[in-house]
Amino acid sequence: MHILGISAYYHDSSTCIVRDGKVIAAAQEERFSRKKHDLCFPVNAVNYCLNEAGISAKQLDAVAFYEKPYLKFERLLMQFIDTFPRSMSVFVESIPSWLSEKLLVPKNIKDLGYNGKVYYLEHHLSHAASAFLCSPYKKAAILTVDGVGEFATTTFSTGNDTEIELFKEIHFPHSLGLLYSTITAYLGFTVNNSEYKVMGLAPWGKPVYKEEFDKLIRTFDDGSFELGMDYFAYTHEKKMPSKKLEGLFGEKTREKESQITQFHKDVAASLQAKTEEVLFHLLENLYSETKLENLCMAGGVALNSAANGKILSKTPFKRIFIQPAAGDAGTSMGAALFVYNSIMKNPRQFVLNSAFLGPSFSDKEVQDYLDKNSIKYYKFGSRAEIAKKTAELVNNNFVVGWFQGRMEWGPRALGARSILSNPTNPKMQGILNLKVKHREKFRPFAPVVLFEEVNKWFECDDPLPQAADYMLMVYPVRKEKRKIIPAVTHVDGTGRLQVIRKEQHALYYQTVQEFQKLSGVPIMINTSFNIRGEPIVCTPHDAYKCMMGTGIDYLAMENCLIKRIDNPKDLWDSEKMATD
Ligand SMILES: [Fe+2]
């Protein structure tokens, strides 16, 4: 039995295919279309999933869509009416996209060649399912927190085998996700893209704006919260912060790319502190209502790895599960699993143990691509040589593009489409920024660390949650180790680590091991294989193009090693290259 899950139209469209209850493939549309956070109906991701399953759309048994478009439309209409006439211009602007695409989901699904049953699930139910139904728990408390779905912005549920029972929800416009996004916009960053940059900025500041944030959001004893809506404009305008919010802080919204001052850092720190306070308040309440020690979390706020790293020490929960695509992209997986397990009443067959669910390319496919385009390369003799040579290059302070195996599911590069470099070199952050990333100086790079070594280097929860495998848990670097890995230690002494286990990606694991033999450090810098503003690479052509457009020194792509300076730039024109 094959069930296809689809999420589309807001940000990070994605598709997932479930065969007999097991996820066999999942990917975001942006990786294929090369448009960051692509929100179109994910035709390319659908084709990839169907190919991976070896079936056509006609052979699908069911399609699951991650939300109820008509219910969402109803909320928007109510919102426009409530705030009329201030909302008039936003209303006029948004209607065409509803009529031309967002309400045409049934037609788009039919156009794939599928005429069977389509299940439309509520947005937050898809989030809840995306966390619980692929978790290792038979019973768990589930919290979903995001910007907004149809009406809900936060839900409390319990998961019991194949059942998910929602018992409390908080509705739009009161939203912890939209508070974070509003301050993201106020600080001059892009909403639905740069919230994690604000999280990275926070440790540079002090949470001195407590009083102001107490006015923006208030919590109540029943576990709910409310925003002070006068400070927010998103119900009726295109912008998110209101004039009153600017008055509250005494500064105007920061212009994009303009200077970041101590004020901005302190606002970011205050936002992060308030987010954690509200999140722990929600979790305390969820625990007291359920008395369950296992926690599953999803929704955009569950990507806040700095908050996640504190949950087990600050709340009564003993274990936590967050899947790599905790944001909206993950809802295609939740929707498909919910149909299989909860609607069709089939027993659970799947636990998500790895993020490698995307496309891969064989040695031969990579070599054919390189040969067709007359690209010079060295062919490795064995997998062991790939690991050894890459570790040597990293130890010699080269920046290495790393393209090995199935692409990652979720927003983070986890060793399939990564850029690897030396964490012991204090200059490496600057080198990476100069050669490739061009990212804001305040943002740290992330380390990958061998699972068996993590406790020696980081102060982690014990036992270590699997969410640490997906860069979803920030932990303090042990004090005595901070000077050894300066390039991945943030200003507050923490690291947004990825833990790698041998069974997830043996070659990547072995490469970090080889680096440990040379440097004494079981850690590398792992940053995503892309340049600023572009999605992570997907195909050999994307990877080669990214290397040639940057200062990446080498590319270890399956069993081939390509040296950038062996391939003169004047012989390279990506538009004329064969891409398959
Ligand atoms: Fe969501």
Side-chain angles (χ1 to χ4, degrees):
M1 177 186 287
H2 289 95
I3 301 173
L4 191 75
I6 296 175
S7 124
Y9 295 135
Y10 292 91
H11 50 94
D12 300 310
S13 298
S14 75
T15 310
C16 165
I17 192 156
V18 169
R19 173 189 284 159
D20 298 331
K22 292 182 184 142
V23 171
I24 57 168
Q28 270 172 246
E29 183 68 4
E30 62 159 28
R31 306 294 167 88
F32 306 97
S33 68
R34 311 307 303 152
K35 287 182 207 145
K36 199 161 186 181
H37 302 302
D38 196 344
L39 47 71
C40 293
F41 191 79
V43 177
N44 295 294
V46 168
N47 287 337
Y48 156 66
C49 283
L50 292 174
N51 270 340
E52 201 66 36
I55 60 166
S56 69
K58 269 197 190 80
Q59 293 167 285
L60 286 166
D61 296 280
V63 169
F65 193 71
Y66 82 120
E67 66 177 14
K68 295 181 186 255
Y70 287 94
L71 198 59
K72 189 168 216 167
F73 191 54
E74 186 187 319
R75 190 254 299 161
L76 276 172
L77 291 178
M78 284 167 65
Q79 184 185 325
F80 291 137
I81 292 164
D82 279 351
T83 53
F84 190 81
R86 291 181 295 166
S87 57
M88 189 64 191
S89 65
V90 182
F91 178 71
V92 170
E93 210 175 303
S94 69
I95 287 300
S97 77
W98 278 92
L99 300 180
S100 64
E101 39 181 37
K102 292 175 185 168
L103 294 176
L104 300 182
V105 179
K107 180 188 174 298
N108 286 328
I109 293 173
K110 254 196 182 144
D111 288 349
L112 295 172
Y114 173 78
N115 288 306
K117 172 97 179 152
V118 181
Y119 296 86
Y120 294 90
L121 309 175
E122 280 199 32
H123 186 109
H124 275 257
L125 184 60
S126 299
H127 271 313
S130 82
F132 176 64
L133 292 175
C134 59
S135 78
Y137 312 136
K138 279 274 176 245
K139 273 189 178 183
I142 311 168
L143 181 74
T144 65
V145 197
D146 70 356
V148 59
E150 294 87 355
F151 285 90
T153 65
T154 301
T155 68
F156 298 68
S157 319
T158 47
N160 189 354
D161 197 14
T162 59
E163 305 286 316
I164 293 176
E165 194 182 331
L166 187 148
F167 64 87
K168 191 189 292 183
E169 57 185 21
I170 298 170
H171 278 189
F172 184 86
H174 304 290
S175 161
L176 187 57
L178 291 177
L179 167 69
Y180 213 98
S181 294
T182 300
I183 301 297
T184 297
Y186 178 63
L187 293 175
F189 297 101
T190 313
V191 170
N192 285 335
N193 177 61
S194 301
E195 281 77 0
Y196 66 102
K197 293 183 186 176
V198 175
M199 190 184 78
L201 184 62
W204 292 93
K206 290 209 161 49
V208 294
Y209 293 105
K210 187 176 177 338
E211 246 177 64
E212 288 77 359
F213 272 90
D214 286 346
K215 289 183 182 161
L216 296 181
I217 186 164
R218 281 196 306 153
T219 53
F220 302 102
D221 289 345
D222 66 351
S224 65
F225 62 79
E226 221 175 68
L227 300 190
M229 288 315 299
D230 289 352
Y231 298 101
F232 302 87
Y234 56 75
T235 50
H236 54 277
E237 279 185 56
K238 256 192 123 181
K239 62 173 201 167
M240 298 189 79
S242 72
K243 279 252 168 315
K244 195 172 169 184
L245 188 138
E246 292 181 334
L248 179 70
F249 289 108
E251 285 220 18
K252 281 206 166 339
T253 297
R254 176 182 159 259
E255 293 285 328
K256 275 192 179 139
E257 305 295 332
S258 68
Q259 205 199 348
I260 293 172
T261 64
Q262 193 56 43
F263 167 74
H264 301 117
K265 294 171 187 172
D266 290 344
V267 171
S270 308
L271 169 67
Q272 183 64 28
K274 193 68 186 179
T275 301
E276 290 173 11
E277 181 194 315
V278 176
L279 183 65
F280 301 154
H281 172 77
L282 295 170
L283 289 170
E284 286 284 348
N285 191 269
L286 177 64
Y287 180 80
S288 72
E289 300 249 6
T290 62
K291 294 285 183 289
L292 293 167
E293 291 181 342
N294 298 330
L295 170 67
C296 292
M297 258 180 37
V301 177
L303 289 170
N304 193 310
S305 47
N308 294 345
K310 298 174 188 164
I311 287 175
L312 295 186
S313 54
K314 301 263 184 187
T315 75
F317 288 102
K318 293 269 189 329
R319 287 164 293 277
I320 183 170
F321 180 85
I322 310 171
Q323 70 129 314
D328 274 5
T331 54
S332 60
M333 184 180 285
L337 287 171
F338 189 85
V339 168
Y340 183 82
N341 294 129
S342 308
I343 295 180
M344 295 180 171
K345 306 266 180 240
N346 291 303
R348 283 166 63 183
Q349 306 283 354
F350 180 71
V351 174
L352 187 71
N353 285 318
S354 141
F356 304 112
L357 294 168
S360 65
F361 297 83
S362 67
D363 289 346
K364 186 174 179 310
E365 284 171 310
V366 169
Q367 281 168 42
D368 284 351
Y369 166 77
L370 297 173
D371 291 340
K372 259 189 221 168
N373 291 295
S374 309
I375 295 165
K376 285 186 196 153
Y377 63 94
Y378 165 78
K379 200 168 142 187
F380 290 112
S382 64
R383 297 324 254 185
E385 196 195 347
I386 301 177
K388 219 170 168 170
K389 181 80 185 159
T390 302
E392 266 171 37
L393 291 170
V394 169
N395 194 46
N396 288 326
N397 295 310
F398 289 110
V399 175
V400 183
W402 176 257
F403 184 109
Q404 302 289 347
R406 295 187 73 176
M407 186 177 74
E408 299 88 345
W409 167 240
R412 306 281 165 253
L414 301 168
R417 305 288 185 275
S418 288
I419 294 170
L420 305 178
S421 56
N422 187 351
T424 67
N425 182 344
K427 292 188 183 147
M428 196 42 79
Q429 199 170 348
I431 294 171
L432 273 173
N433 270 330
L434 189 73
K435 288 190 169 183
V436 200
K437 302 297 282 190
H438 311 293
R439 58 156 71 161
E440 300 86 348
K441 278 205 186 94
F442 65 82
R443 291 173 54 204
F445 284 95
V448 51
V449 52
L450 297 178
F451 171 67
E452 293 77 5
E453 302 280 341
V454 67
N455 281 308
K456 291 183 202 153
W457 291 78
F458 293 87
E459 292 169 33
C460 307
D461 292 312
D462 186 21
L464 186 74
Q466 209 191 7
D469 301 5
Y470 311 131
M471 275 191 195
L472 288 171
M473 309 294 277
V474 166
Y475 291 122
V477 181
R478 289 195 181 279
K479 276 208 175 81
E480 67 278 16
K481 303 288 192 190
R482 289 178 189 174
K483 281 206 173 106
I484 305 173
I485 47 171
V488 291
T489 303
H490 203 3
V491 62
D492 61 349
T494 61
R496 187 162 56 93
L497 66 160
Q498 176 206 355
V499 172
I500 182 68
R501 302 171 204 241
K502 193 173 185 183
E503 61 273 22
Q504 287 171 338
H505 196 315
L507 184 62
Y508 183 43
Y509 180 91
Q510 200 183 342
T511 305
V512 184
Q513 257 185 336
E514 290 292 343
F515 181 73
Q516 184 184 18
K517 283 185 204 164
L518 298 171
S519 66
V521 176
I523 294 167
M524 280 179 165
I525 297 178
N526 162 30
T527 187
S528 53
F529 198 159
N530 63 333
I531 53 170
R532 200 175 168 187
E534 284 190 7
I536 295 174
V537 302
C538 177
T539 64
H541 179 66
D542 300 335
Y544 184 72
K545 194 176 154 190
C546 183
M547 174 173 78
M548 295 308 285
T550 63
I552 293 173
D553 301 301
Y554 289 86
L555 170 55
M557 182 149 66
E558 298 304 335
N559 72 339
C560 298
L561 184 70
I562 305 131
K563 189 175 178 181
R564 184 171 45 81
I565 57 168
D566 281 353
N567 292 283
K569 258 194 167 173
D570 52 356
L571 294 181
W572 175 76
D573 179 347
S574 78
E575 300 307 315
K576 291 184 188 148
M577 289 170 76
T579 56
D580 50 5

